Amino acid sequence: MEDKEFNALADLALTAIDAALEASGADVDCELAAGGVLEIEFADGSKIIVNRHGVAKEIWVAARAGGFHFRWDGAVWRDTRDGTELMEKLSALASQQAGESIRFN
């Protein structure tokens, strides 16, 4: 995958995550910073950081539960360890940290 394609796909994913959080009504603050870093802060002060990693061509997620790497499979971003789709994994991680259900579609 070329850099331009990776950046476009990663930006779409980050924008979708940001929009889903805004629409969720959950008690979270999120900020999409330049350079492809999305910081999600929960009411208890914990955070999830989602960022694109251009060298590896992956989206990386750092959460209380650990670090996760997602690679584009031609259709969706998949966890490089267990194959879970990015939005599914992020829903579980965010719900766990928020103490309420948060869904990303």
Side-chain angles (χ1 to χ4, degrees):
M1 171 185 315
E2 301 216 7
D3 288 345
K4 186 175 180 179
E5 180 184 10
F6 165 75
N7 286 326
L9 290 167
D11 285 346
L12 281 173
L14 292 170
T15 301
I17 293 165
D18 186 40
L21 280 170
E22 293 296 329
S24 75
D27 187 16
V28 298
D29 290 322
C30 62
E31 180 181 337
L32 183 55
V37 178
L38 179 65
E39 187 173 296
I40 306 164
E41 186 170 357
F42 299 89
D44 67 358
S46 68
K47 294 181 181 183
I48 292 178
I49 308 296
V50 183
N51 68 291
R52 64 179 182 216
H53 191 277
V55 174
K57 303 277 191 293
E58 295 176 343
I59 291 179
W60 288 5
V61 175
R64 186 182 286 161
F68 306 89
H69 298 180
F70 297 84
R71 192 171 296 133
W72 184 252
D73 73 357
V76 296
W77 295 95
R78 296 230 174 253
D79 189 313
T80 59
R81 284 184 276 182
D82 67 10
T84 305
E85 191 270 330
L86 171 63
M87 299 303 183
E88 180 183 343
K89 176 80 79 173
L90 202 52
S91 293
L93 294 170
S95 295
Q96 180 183 34
Q97 282 187 230
E100 63 181 290
S101 180
I102 298 177
R103 302 294 309 154
F104 297 91
N105 296 347

